[in-house]
Amino acid sequence: MSKTKFEFTDNVMYVKGVGPRRAQALEKLGIVTKYDLLTHYPRTYENHTELTDIADIIPGEIALIVGTVIDIDSHEIRRNLTIINAILKDKTDEIKLTWFNQTWLLKKVRAGTRLLVIGKAKYDSWSGLEMNQIQSFTILEPNEEPELGITPVYPSTAAITQQVFRTAMKNLLSSMPKLKEILPQKLVREQYLIPLDSAMRNIHFPKDYATLDAARRRLAFDELFLIQCGLMLIKRQTRDERLGISHKKNGALVDAVLEKLPFNLTGDQKKVFRDVTKDMEDKLPMRRLIQGDVGSGKTVIALLALVKTVQSGFQGAFMAPTEILANQHYETFTKLLDGLNISVGLLSAKVTRTKKLRDEVYKKISAHEFDIVIGTHALIQEGVTFDNLGLVVTDEQHRFGVSQRSTLEKKSSLVPDMLVMTATPIPRTMTLTVYGDLDVSLIKELPPGRKPIETQAVTTRSRKKIYDFVRAEILAGRQAYVVCPLIGRSESERLADIESAEEIFDTLSNGIFRDIPCALLHGKMKPSDKDDIMEQFHDGAIKLLVSTTVIEVGVDVPNASVMVIEHAERFGLAQLHQLRGRVGRGAAKSYCILISDTKADVARSRLDVLESTNDGFKLAEEDLKLRGPGQFFGEAQHGLPDLKIADVFRDIEILIQARDAAENFITDDDNLNYFASLRQNLAVAYGDKFNQITEA
Ligand code: ADP
Ligand code: MG
C-alpha cells in the first residue's frame, strides 16, 4: 500500500489512534483537521523525568514509580463506593495503591501486570505507606521500558483521556514530515528562535525544560509576529494607497485659541499636540490614538487640531458617542472660539428629527458654511456630505466600531487625518495587538491642582450618613451626582430589591433634599429635556442630579464634587471608573461613594480595587484579569485574533520583540513581497488558519 501524502487539512480521524468515533469527540474541542490537533497545545506538563524507588517515597510528595502488581482486589464499602487495592512491588519495597470506584481496573490489571504510576502517598502506622492520590498510571507491556520525560496534559473532555491524546499526538508527529522554516533565516537567527519543526515537536513532548521554553517562545513569536505584520501592512497600505493632506504650520488662529484658553496646557498636552501637529503637517494621513485617563484634558487637543484644519482651509468633524457629550463639546467649542470667525455646527438628534431642520444643516455642511461640525452617529448618516473634510476626531473611540470610524473617514474625496481619543485605559499590550495600525500618544499627567478622588465602598446601612454628607457638600456650594443602574423597575427587579433612578429620585427629592433643586436624568427622556437638565446642572441651577449611566462618559461639570453610586455591584470596573471621573474635575476635594450590599467575590474585589487606586491603567489591568479581554473590549474587539499559545499579558516581552521585528520587516519592500508569499505558503501548508491569524 502506498503511503498517501501528509496534509494538514486532512481530517483528524486519519491520525493513527483517533478514528471516526474519537474524531467526533475531538470536534467538540474544535479539532477537525490534523493542523487543529497539532496546534492543540498542552495546558500544562507533568514532570515524569525521574523515577522514585518505592523505598524512597516521601509521604505527601509526588512520586513516579514503576513496579509489578503482586495482588489486586476490591471491596464495596457501601453503595456507590468501591475501593480497589493493589500491591505494587519494585526491587526496593512494596506499596499499597488505592483507587476509588474504578472497577474496570480489575479486568485490565492482574497479578503480574507492570504499571507506571504517578501520585502522592500517605503514611499511617496502622496500614503503613499507601498511595491514595493517584494522578495517572500507565499499563506497561511485559518488556516495555517506561517512557520518562516531561509529559503533556491537554485541554480535554471526559470523552478523550490524556492517554489517547498523547498517543494520537505522538502518531501525528511521527507521520508528519519535517516542517519547513517559514520565517527568513536572518530573522530566526536575530531573534534566537529555534527551528519551527523542533518547536512543534518539543511543545508536545519536550526534551527538557529549557527546550520547552524555547519552543513556547518560538511559537508565540510566530503568532505575534504574523499579527503585527498584518497590522503594519494595513498601516502601510492606508498610508501608501492614496494621498493625504499636508496641513499648514500652526498660525495665528491656533495661537489665538491657545491665548483664549483659561489655562496653560500641561506638559503632556503640549507633547501630544506636538505629535498631532507633526502628523497633520505631514503628507501621509494621520492615524493617531490619544489615550488619556478621564479628566486628563483630551477635548482641548481635539479643539486645537480642528482649528488647525480650519486654518488650512478644511472642514473638521468631531464625533461623540452620546447626545449629551456632543452638546457639551458644542458649548465648549462655541465659547472658546467666540470672536475668531470660525463657525461651529451641531448635528444632533434634535436636528435630525425634523426633515426641514435636517436638510438645512446638511446643506450648510456640504456648502462649507460650517468649519467644524460636532455630532453623534448622525454624522455618518447617508445624507451627510462634507465639502472639504481635513480632519476627523472621534471621542471615546471604544464606543465606536472600527467600521464606523472608517465610514466617516470615507466621506471625503481626500484622505482626511484621523484622531481617535479614548479614556479607556487600554494596557500597552492590548494597544499593540488591537490598535497596531494606529500611533499612540499618552496623556498621563492630570491638569494641575486636581486632588485625588477619595473613594469609599459602603453598605446601605450607611446611606443616611452618606446623604447627610452630600447635603453638607451642596450647602457648601458644590454639586452632586447619584447614579442608579435602572430607570424604572420591572417585576423581577422589584423582587431583586433594586431601587430605580425614579424611585431614588422620589425619595431624595421629597425627603432629605426637598429644599434643594434636584433633577432626574435618564436615557428614555426626550433629548430636549435632557439638554435642559444638563444645561441647568452645568450652570449650577440644579444641585443634585439623580441619573442613570447616561452621564457615564465625558460629562464635565467641574463644580460637582460628590458621586454616589447606588447598587455599585451592578456596574463593571471600567464603567465605575468612568462614572467616578465625573467628579474631581475642579479645585475642590472630591468623593466617590460606592453603595453596595453584595457579598459576591468578583463584585467585592472590583470595589476593593476602586478604593485602592485612581489610576485608570492599573484598573484596566485588574479588569482584564477579572473578566478577560473579550469582556473588556466587547463589540469593538472584532478582529482580535484568537491566540493559541501567545498570551498578551505573560508574553509582553515577546510581543514587543515581535512588533519591532515586524516594523523593520515590513518597511523593506522585498520583505513585503516575501510576507505576501509567506501568507500564501502558510495558507497552503496549514489550511486557512494562518490567514485568520494575519487578517486583521
Ligand atoms: P477628558 O480627557 O476626560 O475628555 P476634558 O477634556 O473634559 O477631559 O477636561 C477635563 C477638565 O479639565 C475640563 O474642565 C477642562 O477644561 C480642564 N482642563 C483641560 N486641560 C487643562 C489644563 N491644562 N489645565 C487646567 N484645566 C484643564
Ligand atoms: Mg472627553
Side-chain angles (χ1 to χ4, degrees), residues 263-266 269 292-300 328-329 395-396 423 447-448 450 554 556 558 582 585:
F263 45 73
N264 292 319
L265 296 184
T266 64
Q269 282 172 322
D293 208 346
V294 282
S296 61
K298 295 182 292 294
T299 314
V300 63
Q328 181 183 294
H329 288 328
D395 196 10
E396 309 296 349
R450 296 275 172 81
D556 184 37
R582 298 313 105 219
R585 308 188 137 235

Side-chain angles (χ1 to χ4, degrees), residues 321-434:
T322 66
E323 202 68 19
I324 290 177
L325 265 191
N327 283 323
Q328 181 183 294
H329 288 328
Y330 177 72
E331 260 175 48
T332 311
F333 275 41
T334 36
K335 204 156 61 199
L336 287 171
L337 298 177
D338 182 44
L340 296 178
N341 198 22
I342 296 178
S343 68
V344 183
L346 176 66
L347 192 59
S348 65
K350 206 188 323 188
V351 168
T352 50
R353 247 190 328 271
T354 65
K355 188 173 180 322
K356 186 161 164 285
L357 208 54
R358 185 180 59 208
D359 289 348
E360 215 168 280
V361 172
Y362 282 7
K363 222 172 83 198
K364 281 189 168 167
I365 296 174
S366 61
H368 205 146
E369 278 175 48
F370 291 135
D371 297 307
I372 296 173
V373 189
I374 299 173
T376 55
H377 289 79
L379 278 177
I380 52 173
Q381 296 308 307
E382 192 106 357
V384 186
T385 48
F386 289 85
D387 169 52
N388 202 4
L389 193 57
L391 173 69
V392 175
V393 184
T394 45
D395 196 10
E396 309 296 349
Q397 154 69 15
H398 64 292
R399 300 214 142 197
F400 294 112
V402 176
S403 62
Q404 282 167 324
R405 174 171 106 195
S406 55
T407 311
L408 189 52
E409 182 188 321
K410 283 185 193 118
K411 288 202 170 285
S412 172
S413 51
L414 301 161
V415 182
D417 282 335
M418 196 184 80
L419 192 60
V420 171
M421 306 196 300
T422 181
T424 306
I426 305 159
R428 180 166 150 74
T429 45
M430 279 295 173
T431 324
L432 289 178
T433 39
V434 187

